[in-house]
Amino acid sequence: MTDRINVDYFYKEVCDSDYDFMLKTINGFNEYSLSILNTLRELSEPQNKDRQEAVQLIHMFCGSIGLLGFAEQANELSQFENQLRQGAVQYDESLHNNVSRLVRAVSTELDKYLSIIKRRKDVW
């Protein structure tokens, strides 16, 4: 997946070639995603059917993931968001598992960013 993401763009443009800022960005996303996933987990429980809150949280995830360069994952999350918004699906355990899978995949790729950028840092 890293091949499809422009690591140079992320480091140079998004993070302005600032290694410390890149670390803060990745760590911040990982903390943010854990918090949002915990809230979404609660919304997936049978007694909590606040679809609108799930729509808003997934919408925020789409933007964050998209800004980090994960257009494919942002698009997939956007599709989930639209299905929820239209009432075509409920935010249940199955949908939560799909959202979690995408977010964990992004976190894994961000860890790969770190290793790639660490190797390239001295070259840039």
Side-chain angles (χ1 to χ4, degrees):
M1 184 185 305
T2 305
D3 298 342
R4 292 180 278 172
I5 300 163
N6 190 333
V7 176
D8 290 338
Y9 176 82
F10 177 73
Y11 182 64
K12 292 179 180 178
E13 300 297 326
V14 174
C15 298
D16 197 28
S17 299
D18 184 332
Y19 187 76
D20 291 332
F21 178 73
M22 182 203 59
L23 289 176
K24 288 178 187 175
T25 300
I26 291 172
N27 289 331
F29 175 80
N30 285 332
E31 290 174 18
Y32 164 77
S33 65
L34 286 176
S35 171
I36 298 296
L37 284 174
N38 286 335
T39 302
L40 284 170
R41 166 57 69 199
E42 293 171 9
L43 293 174
S44 72
E45 295 173 3
Q47 71 274 15
N48 297 324
K49 292 298 179 193
D50 187 349
R51 185 176 70 225
Q52 193 58 34
E53 186 176 356
V55 167
Q56 291 172 344
L57 292 172
I58 292 172
H59 180 77
M60 291 186 328
F61 255 145
C62 287
S64 298
I65 290 171
L67 286 173
L68 291 173
F70 296 88
E72 203 173 294
Q73 292 83 354
N75 183 44
E76 192 171 344
L77 282 176
S78 181
Q79 290 174 21
F80 294 151
E81 175 192 350
N82 289 335
Q83 291 172 345
L84 279 169
R85 189 180 307 279
Q86 296 166 0
V89 297
Q90 292 292 321
Y91 195 77
D92 58 10
E93 184 176 354
S94 175
L95 185 54
H96 178 73
N97 290 340
N98 285 327
V99 170
S100 295
R101 174 186 49 80
L102 283 170
V103 173
R104 282 193 297 270
V106 168
S107 291
T108 298
E109 289 304 308
L110 286 172
D111 289 340
K112 289 180 185 178
Y113 272 163
L114 285 175
S115 65
I116 292 168
I117 292 170
K118 282 178 185 176
R119 286 188 304 238
R120 293 184 185 175
K121 184 181 173 196
D122 296 326
V123 177
W124 285 321

